[in-house]
Amino acid sequence: MEEKKLDVKSIIGFVLIFGILIFMFYQNKPTPEEIAAQKAKQEQIDAAAAKEEKADDFVIDSTPEVNLNDSSAIAGYKSKIGAFGFTTPKEGTTVLENDVLFLKISNKGGHVVEAKMKNFVTYDSVPVYLVKDGNSSFAINFSTIDNRVLSTKDLFFEPNLTKSDGKQILSLKAKTSNDQFLEYRYEMKPGDYLVDFTVRTQGLDGIINDSNPVTLDWKLKGIRHSKSIQYENRYTRLTYHHEDGKLSKLSEGSDDEETEEDIKWISYRQHFFSSILAADEPFKSGELTSKNLVEEESRTFGFTKAYSSVLPIEVKGGEISKSMYMYYGPTDVDVLSKYEDLDLVDSIPFGWGIFGWINRYVFTPFYSLLSSYFPYGIAIIIMTILVRLAMSPVTYKSYLSQAKMKVLKPEINELNEKYKDNAMKKQQETMKLYGKAGVSPMSGCVPAFLQMPIFYALFMFFPSSFALRQKSFLWADDLSSFDTIYQFPEGFSIPFYGDHVSLFPILASIAIFFYMMMTTGQNMPSQPGMPNMKFIMYLMPFMMLFFFNNYASGLSLYYFVSNLITIGIMLVIKNFILDNDKIHAQIQENKKKPKKENKFQRKMREMMEQAEAQKKK
């Protein structure tokens, strides 16, 4: 029976079909009138969705403002908080800032209502905000002895800002009297993203009902900072440190929730920036929630995920005292490593197991060293060259195995023809030939397996390396995001590919294609029962083209240069190091030597002989 193979005509047919599909997508793109109508319809949908969002669990703050000019409104406020006479309403904010961080803290609720990075901007040159326009809320919820349930987000605090030795200390007190109050205390140091934060009460042991739980409720919606919201959302995740050293994460692609114990810190990561709450003494438990807000790529949608944490606070002797830290800053290993006592550097997505170890302790410091002397793109190329040279012995082993298989190919073809009607016997004789020649068909796979930790570590390094953020190289504006040489018209997008064309993935795919030609092209067609494997392997570069179009251009640059170097190394090995005649002579010598079977080989031979005998019966 003739084996089916994919000929040139079939390949041309696939290419033509793909071209026709692209042409149809382009021809059927909507007219400007249709785009305008669709945009109007989308605005209506967004407006409806916004109304629904205000009603869900992730409403940040729906508390109405108190009209300070309306005596009845003030009376209503006092009635709401009870007969304990907390601080009279007084609107306003207080600013804490140093040379890297700007915080605005509201009198109402005493929490951060604006957090701005002073030295970073978004992809469209707008300052990076982690908190702004009500996307965050922070409150302590407790009940009183007359069974009223109060939240600090409804209380007004009296601010008192002092400065000493470069430090800024802001004390905010919600008072029932001068010696009875609930206090939020912020302490900001020069050049530091970490703010000391303390919650305490004084004289409220006769007001707070300690038989009911006191909880800290922290919510935040991640603000978009990158040009691709789907790509940013892939690395936007709630991470937490718990149970004395464990590091866990909620799902990055779907809604998720967990209840955990002994939580040391919680990180609301927004790809390259993080909002972190940490404590000196871990929270005994916590209810953590992450809600995915991104359903598809959008050029205008402003939020990635909605996070929520509910944490219990202990009441001792009727009073509250909790020392914490708030971090608003970059997800940068150089910055987070400064806080060793809190282990905040673990919030960076280095990868798991040995892959994360290689990324964190090898590639990250190595690239930092290179980029301190060379431009960022050149540093990637130099690192790629050094990595490939270090892996060249593995490449040599792989190519040597392929050369041996190539030498044996005529003999394998003879066996295939001789035993074409007896698959069992053909397999048995083929393995016997490999054994006599001292060749293992799996030896070419082992080097590839050894390279997997390097492959995965670099796969995690480029998208998460803060050092690459907004660093340009050639036509790429940002090595931590995709490069764009052509932007499709608004409203047009190729499924699984995107609304733009990136050049680095195209170059990487071409390099991968030629690499596959030099490696799999030699051996794959000879594998019995796999007539189309060669085509499937050639399909890989095409798939990589789609996969990498929305990934970091630094990653595509690495794979492009890496495959070029590998091709060069293999050409040197083929033309100047390996000698097929010598390999053939060595194989013939190996055949003459008696081979001692190990237990596994003997067992396999006996099983195959038994199967052959059974077949004859």
Side-chain angles (χ1 to χ4, degrees):
M1 181 177 179
E2 183 181 353
E3 294 179 326
K4 293 183 179 180
K5 295 186 178 181
L6 205 63
D7 57 10
V8 176
K9 293 181 180 179
S10 300
I11 296 174
I12 294 174
F14 279 120
V15 172
L16 289 175
I17 291 171
F18 182 75
I20 290 170
L21 289 173
I22 297 297
F23 178 76
M24 290 176 63
F25 274 120
Y26 187 81
Q27 287 295 109
N28 293 326
K29 67 178 182 179
T31 63
E33 293 77 10
E34 291 173 334
I35 293 175
Q38 182 65 29
K39 186 175 181 180
K41 183 178 179 180
Q42 186 62 43
E43 288 176 352
Q44 294 177 356
I45 294 173
D46 291 343
K51 290 181 180 179
E52 293 181 6
E53 187 176 314
K54 290 182 180 178
D56 68 15
D57 292 335
F58 285 93
V59 174
I60 299 302
D61 190 356
S62 59
T63 307
E65 294 292 334
V66 176
N67 187 346
L68 301 182
N69 297 317
D70 187 343
S71 58
S72 61
I74 296 178
Y77 165 77
K78 291 182 177 180
S79 174
K80 181 178 180 180
I81 64 172
F84 304 109
F86 277 105
T87 306
T88 302
K90 184 177 181 181
E91 300 285 359
T93 59
T94 305
V95 170
L96 290 178
E97 66 176 318
N98 54 27
D99 51 343
V100 296
L101 179 63
F102 175 94
L103 297 181
K104 186 182 290 185
I105 299 162
S106 174
N107 290 351
K108 184 182 180 184
H111 63 98
V112 176
V113 293
E114 188 173 298
K116 180 177 70 174
M117 306 294 99
K118 299 182 74 171
N119 299 327
F120 302 104
V121 296
T122 64
Y123 71 102
D124 51 357
S125 301
V126 175
V128 170
Y129 288 91
L130 299 183
V131 179
K132 190 183 181 186
D133 297 334
N135 75 310
S136 175
S137 73
F138 185 96
I140 306 295
N141 302 316
F142 60 95
S143 58
T144 62
I145 56 174
D146 63 350
N147 293 322
R148 293 176 182 266
V149 178
L150 296 184
S151 174
T152 56
K153 71 178 182 179
D154 299 322
L155 302 180
F156 284 84
F157 291 72
E158 292 183 4
N160 181 30
L161 178 63
T162 60
K163 299 180 180 180
S164 175
D165 299 328
K167 297 180 181 179
Q168 300 176 60
I169 300 173
L170 174 62
S171 172
L172 295 129
K173 294 180 179 178
K175 299 179 179 179
T176 62
S177 66
N178 286 334
D179 57 355
Q180 292 179 306
F181 54 82
L182 185 153
E183 181 186 25
Y184 282 177
R185 186 177 185 275
Y186 298 86
E187 182 178 327
M188 175 182 280
K189 305 177 187 67
D192 203 340
Y193 294 100
L194 191 72
V195 177
D196 293 3
F197 176 67
T198 304
V199 177
R200 73 181 187 98
T201 61
Q202 179 177 302
L204 298 186
D205 52 318
I207 296 177
I208 295 178
N209 185 352
D210 56 8
S211 63
N212 292 331
V214 177
T215 60
L216 185 159
D217 189 352
W218 181 34
K219 293 183 175 73
L220 184 140
K221 289 170 66 176
I223 300 173
R224 174 192 189 152
H225 299 137
S226 300
K227 58 183 177 181
S228 171
I229 192 168
Q230 282 190 324
Y231 181 72
E232 179 178 7
N233 197 45
R234 189 178 297 128
Y235 300 96
T236 296
R237 200 168 187 181
L238 191 156
T239 307
Y240 54 98
H241 185 291
H242 64 114
E243 296 181 16
D244 194 24
K246 290 185 180 179
L247 188 68
S248 300
K249 308 174 183 67
L250 297 188
S251 173
E252 78 278 10
S254 60
D255 298 351
D256 196 7
E257 60 182 26
E258 287 288 349
T259 300
E260 297 288 2
E261 298 180 350
D262 296 326
I263 299 175
K264 184 176 182 179
W265 53 253
I266 300 168
S267 171
Y268 292 169
R269 189 175 74 240
Q270 298 167 235
H271 197 180
F272 285 122
F273 297 91
S274 297
S275 303
I276 303 176
L277 178 67
D280 279 333
E281 185 177 341
F283 297 97
K284 287 190 174 181
S285 64
E287 298 174 7
L288 313 176
T289 306
S290 174
K291 182 177 180 181
N292 185 33
L293 304 179
V294 179
E295 296 182 358
E296 60 184 14
E297 187 61 65
S298 170
R299 300 183 188 180
T300 57
F301 193 72
F303 298 100
T304 53
K305 285 185 174 67
Y307 299 123
S308 175
S309 299
V310 179
L311 308 164
I313 293 183
E314 290 186 77
V315 180
K316 297 179 181 179
E319 301 284 5
I320 297 171
S321 180
K322 187 70 174 178
S323 297
M324 294 171 278
Y325 305 91
M326 290 181 171
Y327 176 88
Y328 294 103
T331 315
D332 183 4
V333 63
D334 291 335
V335 176
L336 293 174
S337 295
K338 298 176 181 177
Y339 313 113
E340 294 182 4
D341 295 342
L342 299 175
D343 298 320
L344 297 187
V345 73
D346 291 338
S347 66
I348 299 175
F350 292 111
W352 58 273
I354 188 174
F355 311 113
W357 189 91
I358 293 172
N359 188 359
R360 178 172 179 176
Y361 296 107
V362 179
F363 288 129
T364 297
F366 184 43
Y367 183 76
S368 297
L369 176 64
L370 291 175
S371 60
S372 63
Y373 293 99
F374 302 98
Y376 289 89
I378 300 298
I380 291 177
I381 294 174
I382 294 174
M383 184 172 76
T384 306
I385 294 171
L386 296 176
V387 168
R388 293 317 304 170
L389 289 177
M391 299 298 294
S392 58
V394 178
T395 305
Y396 172 77
K397 288 286 186 183
S398 177
Y399 198 83
L400 177 61
S401 174
Q402 294 170 17
K404 289 180 179 180
M405 294 291 290
K406 186 178 180 180
V407 170
L408 285 177
K409 185 176 180 181
E411 298 180 57
I412 293 174
N413 289 341
E414 290 179 9
L415 293 175
N416 290 341
E417 182 63 28
K418 184 177 180 180
Y419 300 104
K420 61 182 179 181
D421 298 324
N422 190 337
M424 182 67 71
K425 186 64 174 178
K426 178 171 59 177
Q427 183 71 15
Q428 187 177 357
E429 292 299 321
T430 300
M431 295 306 295
K432 189 182 296 183
L433 174 63
Y434 286 151
K436 288 182 178 180
V439 175
S440 171
M442 295 299 295
S443 60
C445 301
V446 174
F449 179 77
L450 293 175
Q451 295 182 70
M452 285 302 296
I454 305 297
F455 176 90
Y456 182 78
L458 287 167
F459 183 79
M460 293 301 297
F461 168 76
F462 286 101
S464 61
S465 175
F466 190 86
L468 291 173
R469 182 181 182 270
Q470 295 185 346
K471 301 301 188 299
S472 62
F473 179 66
L474 299 178
W475 56 84
D477 296 326
D478 186 350
L479 286 169
S480 69
S481 184
F482 55 81
D483 61 293
T484 304
I485 59 169
Y486 179 72
Q487 183 73 50
F488 292 137
E490 186 172 354
F492 176 77
S493 178
I494 298 176
F496 306 108
Y497 185 72
D499 60 357
H500 63 279
V501 177
S502 298
L503 182 54
F504 275 129
I506 294 175
L507 297 175
S509 297
I510 293 173
I512 291 172
F513 174 78
F514 283 104
Y515 171 75
M516 301 293 288
M517 286 280 290
M518 294 181 63
T519 54
T520 60
Q522 297 182 22
N523 301 315
M524 295 308 295
S526 66
Q527 298 296 322
M530 298 182 182
N532 291 328
M533 184 59 73
K534 182 177 180 180
F535 172 76
I536 293 173
M537 297 303 292
Y538 287 166
L539 187 63
M540 182 180 174
F542 185 73
M543 296 171 60
M544 297 292 282
L545 176 64
F546 275 70
F547 184 76
F548 281 106
N549 193 60
N550 292 293
Y551 264 77
S553 55
L555 183 64
S556 299
L557 171 62
Y558 168 80
Y559 285 125
F560 170 57
V561 176
S562 178
N563 280 284
L564 286 182
I565 296 171
T566 304
I567 290 171
I569 291 174
M570 292 177 69
L571 288 174
V572 171
I573 292 172
K574 177 182 178 181
N575 296 316
F576 301 101
I577 298 177
L578 292 183
D579 187 327
N580 287 343
D581 293 334
K582 289 183 179 180
I583 293 174
H584 185 270
Q586 183 63 49
I587 287 176
Q588 298 308 317
E589 286 295 322
N590 291 341
K591 288 181 180 180
K592 297 176 183 178
K593 298 177 182 177
K595 292 293 181 181
K596 185 178 179 180
E597 289 182 324
N598 58 38
K599 292 183 179 180
F600 176 77
Q601 290 172 327
R602 184 174 66 253
K603 188 68 175 176
M604 289 296 296
R605 177 179 55 77
E606 291 173 353
M607 290 175 60
M608 294 179 73
E609 289 174 351
Q610 290 174 6
E612 181 68 18
Q614 186 67 29
K615 184 178 179 181
K616 288 180 179 180
K617 288 181 180 181

